[in-house]
């Protein structure tokens, strides 16, 4: 009997996989190491120091941009997850109908269209609204991030719904539970890990977005990624490394929390 096919036994597969991991993670390791660099240069090691973390903490522009980033990302993640949950329910808990494929494409369009195209379109659209209303606040950034993050939240929620057994929902309907009560008592608890995954993915996507933010933001509305981009244009210091390290730590914390929550729910 022929042995089952295993990609790990293919010649060179291990070498290529290790090379990909090195190319992916080695720059991140170097960035983290140089965040603790005493010297001003990011290419010359001057000894261990935490001064760049302190400098970032005491930088009012960094603090304002960070708070603004978290405000936008939190609101956009919540709104996009709510929209994505309703869209996932509408496209999975229904009979197949003509136009369902088009609905999938419309929801996932921000993933397929280059981000710069979305940014230009939002710039044109919101500029007209600004002229008419005179309003120039953060609502435009929140709306843009929400629209962009919907497909990122939709994919894990839809995947969770498609993997759920319908037996419990049908049993609840047989016991005369209303659709809302079935959703609240049966569907939502089973769907919760998918919602959390969509929420965290939308939050991280919004938090590090640069292209759409650059096109939509007004003066004085820098987020942390756009502030860091501006710093790179003026000259790189280890302060940027320190900010990137904090972002990396935040991402690891979010992924770890989701891992333990989803494992407990399952």
């Amino acid at each position: 009997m022929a042995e089952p096919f295993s990609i790990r036994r293919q010649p060179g597969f291990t070498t290529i996989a290790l090379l990909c991991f090195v190319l992916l993670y080695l720059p991140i390791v170097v960035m983290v190491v140089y965040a603790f660099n005493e010297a001003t240069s990011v290419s010359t090691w001057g000894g261990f120091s935490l001064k760049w973390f302190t400098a970032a903490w005491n930088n009012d522009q960094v603090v304002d941009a960070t708070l603004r980033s978290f405000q936008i990302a939190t609101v956009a993640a919540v709104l996009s997850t709510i929209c994505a949950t309703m869209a996932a329910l509408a496209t999975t808990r229904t009979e197949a109908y003509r136009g369902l494929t088009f609905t999938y494409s419309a929801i996932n369009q921000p993933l397929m269209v280059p981000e710069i195209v979305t940014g230009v379109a939002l710039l044109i659209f919101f500029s007209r609204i600004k002229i008419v209303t005179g309003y120039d606040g953060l609502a435009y950034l929140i709306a843009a991030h929400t629209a962009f993050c919907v497909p990122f939240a939709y994919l894990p929620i839809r995947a969770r719904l498609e993997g759920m057994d319908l037996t419990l929902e049908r049993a609840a309907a047989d016991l005369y539970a209303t659709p809302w009560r079935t959703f609240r008592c049966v569907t939502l608890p089973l769907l919760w890990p998918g919602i959390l995954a969509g929420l965290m993915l939308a939050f991280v996507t919004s938090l590090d977005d640069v292209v759409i933010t650059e096109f939509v933001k007004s003066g004085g509305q820098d987020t942390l990624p756009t502030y860091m981009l501006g710093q790179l244009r003026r000259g790189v210091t280890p302060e940027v490394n320190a900010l990137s390290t904090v972002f990396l730590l935040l991402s690891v914390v979010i992924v770890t929390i989701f891992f333990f929550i989803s494992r407990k729910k399952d």
Side-chain angles (χ1 to χ4, degrees):
M1 178 181 292
E3 295 184 2
F5 174 79
S6 176
I7 188 65
R8 292 179 296 179
R9 297 181 180 178
Q10 301 306 304
F13 175 80
T14 302
T15 303
I16 295 174
L18 290 176
L19 180 62
C20 290
F21 274 103
V22 169
L23 293 176
L24 180 63
Y25 289 106
L26 183 60
I28 297 177
V29 173
V30 173
M31 177 202 70
V32 173
V33 170
Y34 274 90
F36 299 93
N37 188 12
E38 173 69 26
T40 303
S41 173
V42 296
S43 59
T44 303
W45 180 255
F48 181 85
S49 175
L50 295 174
K51 73 174 187 178
W52 297 111
F53 291 90
T54 305
W57 179 265
N58 294 325
N59 189 328
D60 292 336
Q61 290 181 313
V62 172
V63 173
D64 290 342
T66 301
L67 293 177
R68 190 176 297 112
S69 294
F70 276 96
Q71 178 185 356
I72 295 171
T74 300
V75 178
V78 171
L79 293 178
S80 62
T81 302
I82 293 173
C83 295
T85 302
M86 293 188 293
L89 288 168
T91 53
T92 58
R93 291 301 185 264
T94 184
E95 296 291 336
Y97 58 90
R98 181 175 297 179
L100 183 59
T101 302
F102 173 79
T103 303
Y104 289 147
S105 301
I107 295 173
N108 294 315
Q109 186 180 19
L111 295 176
M112 299 179 285
V113 175
E115 194 173 347
I116 191 170
V117 175
T118 305
V120 172
L122 290 172
L123 171 64
I124 297 172
F125 179 71
F126 287 142
S127 63
R128 299 296 180 181
I129 299 177
K130 291 179 182 179
I131 293 174
V132 174
T133 63
Y135 175 74
D136 202 26
L138 286 180
Y140 298 110
L141 275 174
I142 293 174
H145 281 223
T146 299
F148 181 68
C149 290
V150 165
F152 291 93
Y154 171 79
L155 291 177
I157 295 173
R158 176 190 167 191
R160 180 73 180 183
L161 279 170
E162 290 181 340
M164 285 168 49
D165 189 359
L166 294 176
T167 303
L168 295 177
E169 295 177 65
R170 290 169 178 167
D174 290 340
L175 295 173
Y176 304 103
T178 62
W180 166 246
R181 189 170 185 182
T182 301
F183 172 76
R184 182 172 58 87
C185 298
V186 179
T187 307
L188 185 59
L190 296 174
L191 183 59
W192 193 243
I195 293 176
L196 282 178
L199 178 67
M200 293 181 182
L201 186 58
F203 178 83
V204 173
T205 301
S206 173
L207 193 64
D208 70 357
D209 181 78
V210 175
V211 177
I212 290 178
T213 304
E214 279 287 348
F215 278 96
V216 176
K217 73 182 181 68
S218 301
Q221 292 183 352
D222 268 326
T223 61
L224 191 54
T226 58
Y227 170 81
M228 293 169 63
L229 180 62
Q231 292 299 106
L232 290 174
R233 292 168 179 168
R234 299 182 186 96
V236 181
T237 66
E239 183 180 1
V240 175
N241 291 25
L243 294 172
S244 301
T245 301
V246 173
F247 259 61
L248 176 64
L249 179 62
L250 176 64
S251 300
V252 172
V253 170
I254 291 176
V255 171
T256 303
I257 292 174
F258 169 70
F259 171 76
F260 285 107
I261 291 176
S262 61
R263 187 174 65 171
K264 182 178 179 182
K265 291 292 182 180
D266 291 338

